[in-house]
Amino acid sequence: MVQQHNSLQKQLLVDTLELCPGIADVNSGIKKVLIVFDDVNESSQLASLLGKNDQFGSGSRIIVTTRDKHVLNALGVDGFYKPSRLNNVQSLQLLSIHAFRIIFPPEDYVSISKKIVSVTFGIPLALEVIGSFLSDKVLWIDTLKKLKNIPDFEVQKKLSISYEALNYEQQQIFLDIACFFVGMDKTYVSYMWDGCDYNPEKEINVLCLMSLVKIGDDNLLRMHHQLRDLGREIVRQESFKNPGYRSRLWNHKEALDILEGRRGTEKVEALSLHFELRPERKPRFTSGK
């Protein structure tokens, strides 16, 4: 793990130097920088990457996003911002933008739109995903009934309504992305789905229209961390206690334990392995589909 962190720190410094071509090496000048670390779940990751505080110039800003406040406490962060939920007006606008592509719902949809807003509790991701899903008029009343039965804090269950509306191929591609392919080139990964006789171009387009997946300008697959967690939880529930009976194994340790213990079953369709002793190699992905 130390070797991996050192490699990441080196890459961070190299990238910084490339952005500041006037600096030949780390010690020849200290610049003011802005660095963003997204979705950090371990304080040791940041400690290894950042090293000493004096390696960045005065006025530098380091922004960290995390779902675990303890990560910030462990680093001695003296200030943090917790995004507030949207109010009813903002929620209605966001829902309308994704459902109708306009800032306010059509007159015959205003009433039910407000009811949808009242049970999504100002959660932007839920409003975006559900709004995109509700492009079909017949789904509105049924979706409202389902949302009313889901408690405020169970965001994943609210999001799962959209997942359940996908066809089989769309669900499989969604789960593959959630477990393995966030941050990977869409073109490269599509070769595998082509081999499964899926229609990746069409199905990924549907996932994008439903705001379940995004494609960056760099053609990389993107997915909100709560949607990624939803996909992985769906796979985990296939066999909560025995990973060898799950369709996908994305955790290196679990996959390696299954292979070494010969406890895998025919239910395992794909697994990912990453060997930290060879950090220059990309994670190895094996599909049994």
Side-chain angles (χ1 to χ4, degrees):
M1 183 63 73
V2 173
Q3 185 176 3
Q4 185 181 24
H5 283 161
N6 289 341
S7 176
L8 290 172
Q9 186 180 44
K10 180 179 179 181
Q11 185 62 50
L12 173 62
L13 293 173
V14 169
D15 291 343
T16 302
L17 294 178
E18 288 181 352
L19 293 174
C20 304
I23 303 177
D25 56 62
V26 178
N27 297 318
S28 65
I30 299 179
K31 292 285 185 178
K32 180 166 62 175
V33 298
L34 170 65
I35 301 176
V36 179
F37 295 100
D38 185 39
D39 198 19
V40 176
N41 52 33
E42 292 183 21
S43 58
S44 60
Q45 294 172 324
L46 285 178
S48 297
L49 284 169
L50 297 178
K52 297 180 180 179
N53 293 330
D54 59 1
Q55 65 179 312
F56 302 112
S58 176
S60 293
R61 293 290 183 268
I62 299 172
I63 300 174
V64 180
T65 69
T66 180
R67 288 175 284 169
D68 186 353
K69 185 180 176 182
H70 293 93
V71 171
L72 303 179
N73 293 337
L75 293 169
V77 175
D78 54 5
F80 62 89
Y81 170 73
K82 182 179 180 179
S84 58
R85 295 187 178 185
L86 303 180
N87 60 37
N88 287 342
V89 174
Q90 294 168 329
S91 297
L92 188 62
Q93 290 176 342
L94 184 59
L95 180 73
S96 179
I97 287 171
H98 288 281
F100 307 110
R101 304 298 185 263
I102 52 178
I103 201 168
F104 195 80
E107 185 176 352
D108 54 339
Y109 278 91
V110 172
S111 177
I112 194 168
S113 293
K114 289 182 177 179
K115 291 177 182 178
I116 293 287
V117 163
S118 70
V119 291
T120 49
F121 303 98
I123 302 171
L125 179 62
L127 289 162
E128 178 181 349
V129 172
I130 292 170
S132 301
F133 166 65
L134 292 176
S135 56
D136 188 339
K137 185 175 180 178
V138 298
L139 297 172
W140 282 77
I141 296 177
D142 184 53
T143 300
L144 178 59
K145 291 178 180 178
K146 291 179 180 179
L147 287 171
K148 284 183 175 179
N149 294 324
I150 301 175
D152 173 14
F153 61 88
E154 294 190 23
V155 179
Q156 281 194 2
K157 286 189 176 181
K158 296 180 188 294
L159 299 176
S160 68
I161 293 174
S162 295
Y163 170 80
E164 291 165 1
L166 301 174
N167 66 31
Y168 174 79
E169 293 184 4
Q170 293 159 1
Q171 288 183 346
Q172 297 309 302
I173 290 176
F174 173 84
L175 295 178
D176 283 343
I177 296 174
C179 293
F180 303 112
F181 299 135
V182 174
M184 294 191 68
D185 191 288
K186 183 192 75 168
T187 303
Y188 173 78
V189 180
S190 292
Y191 291 131
M192 183 199 73
W193 291 318
D194 279 328
C196 300
D197 293 326
Y198 295 166
N199 187 339
E201 197 65 32
K202 173 186 174 184
E203 309 303 0
I204 291 176
N205 185 53
V206 172
L207 295 176
C208 289
L209 289 174
M210 295 181 68
S211 296
L212 295 173
V213 174
K214 298 182 185 297
I215 308 295
D217 294 336
D218 49 10
N219 204 44
L220 300 185
L221 295 164
R222 306 293 186 190
M223 180 179 284
H224 192 282
H225 58 76
Q226 290 196 35
L227 290 169
R228 179 200 63 197
D229 291 350
L230 168 66
R232 294 184 175 187
E233 183 60 26
I234 290 171
V235 173
R236 193 179 286 113
Q237 292 296 331
E238 293 173 353
S239 179
F240 192 77
K241 293 185 177 180
N242 191 341
Y245 284 85
R246 299 175 190 164
S247 60
R248 295 160 179 83
L249 299 173
W250 62 90
N251 181 281
H252 166 80
K253 186 178 184 303
E254 285 186 344
L256 196 59
D257 287 345
I258 291 297
L259 291 175
E260 291 179 339
R262 298 181 180 276
R263 292 183 286 109
T265 68
E266 61 182 13
K267 292 184 180 296
V268 179
E269 299 178 4
L271 55 85
S272 179
L273 296 172
H274 178 78
F275 296 98
E276 295 177 357
L277 295 178
R278 300 285 299 278
E280 73 280 1
R281 297 186 63 180
K282 295 181 179 180
R284 297 173 61 187
F285 172 80
T286 303
S287 174
K289 292 187 176 182

